[in-house]
Amino acid sequence: MRRWSLAGQMLLLQLLVVTVTLVGAATLVSVLADQLVTAEAAGAARSAAAAVAASPDVLAALDEPSPTTRLQPYADRVEAESGVDFVTIMKPDGTRYTHPNRAEIGKRFLGHIDRALRGETFTETYTGTLGPSVRAVAPVHAGGPNGPIRALVSAGIKVDRVSARLRGQLVWTGLIALLGLALGAVGTWLVTARLRRQTHGLGPVELGRIHEHHDAVLHAVREGLLLVGKDGTLTLCNDAARQLLDLPADAEGRHLDELGLSGLFDTDQERVHLVGDRVLAVNGAASRLGTVVTVRDHTELQALAGQLNAERGFADSLRSAAHESANKLHTVITLVELGRTEQAVAFGTAELRAAQELTDRVMGAVREPILAALLLGKSAEAAERGSELVISHDSDLDDLGLDPGELVTIVGNLIDNAIDAATRVEVLLRGGRDGFLIRVADDGPGLIAPDAFRKGWTTKGDGHGLGLALVGQAVRRLGGTIEVDGSVFTVRLPVPQPVAEPVR
C-alpha cells in the first residue's frame, strides 16, 4: 500500500485544522448569539414590565370596581407597541387582572413573584400557560418607589420567538462558516499543489531517506563539491572542499570574494590552481540553482607527472646523445674508409674530450648525483634545441640532505623555462652551512608576470602552465625564498635541520 505523499498529508491536516477551527468558531458564535438574543428578549420584557408598573393609568385602574375592564385594553396596546407576547397585571397574591387568553383572567399567575413582592424587578425563563417564555416581573408601588405594593406586572416573550430569531442568525453563521471552509479548502489545495510540485509527490519517509543519502554522499565523496549561487554566494560545500580549499567553518552563505575564491572556476574548461601545497583541478558546470564546482586533488598526479617528465627528459637526453654519437661515429668511419686515419682519430678524440670535459666540469661542481645527471641531460637537450646551457665556474655543491625530488622540480623547471625563452642559459649551484643557492640566468626578455609562482601560469597562452608555480610550491615546502630580477631567478634554501632522536 502506497504511503500518502507529504503534500497529501499536509492537505488532510490543513483541512482538518480549518474544519475544526470553523466548527469551533460557529459553535462559539451560536452560544454567544443565544445568550445575546435571550438577553435582548429579557431586556425588552423588563423594559415593558417596568413601563407598565410605573404607569399612572395602572394605579388609577386598580381603584376601580372592575380593574380588568380598563387594564386589559391597556395591556393589549402595550403588547402591540412593545413587541412582547404578553403583559399580565395581577394582584400581589398572583391573581390575574389581564391575560392574552381571557379564560385565564382571575386565575393564579404561573411563575415566581417572591422577589417582586420584596420590591425587586427580575427576569426569568419559565413555562406558563403560553409555553416557555422569557419574562420579567415588576412591582407596582403606590405613592412612589418606596410605597406599598398595590399590584405586580409580568411581561414576557415566548421562547419560540427567541428560538426562531436565533435560528435565522445560525443560518447566516452556517453560511459564513461554509464559505470560510470553501475558501480554506481552495487555499489549502493551492498550497498543497505547489508543495507537491516542489517535493515531486514524495512522502516524509522518502524525503528523509533522500536527505540522508544526499548527506552521506556529499560528505563521503573524496572530491570537493561546491554549489555557488548566481550572485556568487557559496551555498553548499562538503568536507573535502573545506579541506582542499582551506575554507572556514562559516564559509556557506559568504561571497566568493570574501573567501578569496574569485575566479576559481570556469564553466567552459577545467582549470588548475595551486592552493597552499596542493595542485587542484577545478571545474564548474552551470545548473538551475547556480554553478556546481568540483575540486580534485592533483598533487600526487602532478608529482608523478614531474617524475615522468624527468624520466622523459633523461630519455630524450640519451636519445639526443645517441643520435649525436651515431652521427659522429658515422663521420669517423667514413674518414677511415677514405684513408684519412689521422683526421678520424683527431675528430673522435676532440669530441670525446669535449664530452668528458663537460662531464668532469659538472661532476666536479655538483657532487649530488641526481642533480648532476639532470644538468648533463639538460645540456644535451639544450644543444638539440639550439640553446646553450652553461654551468657557472662558481658552482660548488655537495649533497646537503635536501629532497632530490624537490631539487629536480626547482632546477629542472627553471632551466626548462629559461631554454624556452632564451638561447643561452647559465646555472649556478652553491651549497654550504649557510644554505643552498640556485641561480638560473638567461638572455631572454625576463619574467613580467608577478603571480607566476602563485598559481598556474604560462607564456604559451593556453592557461595550463604549472612549471613556475610548482617551483614556488617546492620552494615554500623547503622553507626557502625565490627572487626574480628580470631574467635572473635566485632561489635560497635553508640547510635542513637534523631530526632529534627521541629520548629512550
Side-chain angles (χ1 to χ4, degrees), residues 20 25 118 127 188 230 243 259 275 286 311 360 463:
V20 171
R118 292 195 295 269
T127 302
T188 300
K230 296 181 180 180
Q243 181 181 3
L259 302 172
V275 179
E311 297 295 337
D360 291 341

Side-chain angles (χ1 to χ4, degrees), residues 34 297 428:
D34 178 58
D297 190 354
L428 170 65

Side-chain angles (χ1 to χ4, degrees), residues 2 4-8 195-196 199-207 210:
R2 188 178 183 274
W4 279 48
S5 66
L6 179 60
L195 180 62
R196 183 181 294 107
T199 59
H200 302 286
L202 298 176
V205 176
E206 290 83 359
L207 290 174
I210 289 176

Side-chain angles (χ1 to χ4, degrees), residues 373-423:
L374 175 67
L375 292 174
L376 290 173
K378 292 300 181 183
S379 297
E381 182 181 349
E384 184 180 13
R385 296 170 60 179
S387 299
E388 179 185 10
L389 178 63
V390 179
I391 307 301
S392 174
H393 294 287
D394 295 333
S395 296
D396 185 12
L397 178 65
D398 288 320
D399 185 0
L400 299 179
L402 292 172
D403 185 358
E406 301 284 16
L407 293 179
V408 168
T409 298
I410 297 172
V411 177
N413 281 290
L414 288 178
I415 292 176
D416 286 340
N417 280 277
I419 292 175
D420 289 338
T423 58

Side-chain angles (χ1 to χ4, degrees), residues 7-19:
Q9 295 184 33
M10 289 295 296
L11 175 62
L12 181 62
L13 177 61
Q14 292 183 20
L15 285 177
L16 180 62
V17 170
V18 171
T19 302

Side-chain angles (χ1 to χ4, degrees), residues 65-87:
S66 178
T68 299
T69 304
R70 185 173 177 181
L71 290 178
Q72 185 61 54
Y74 175 74
D76 294 339
R77 188 168 62 252
V78 171
E79 291 173 4
E81 293 175 355
S82 64
V84 297
D85 291 320
F86 65 88
V87 173

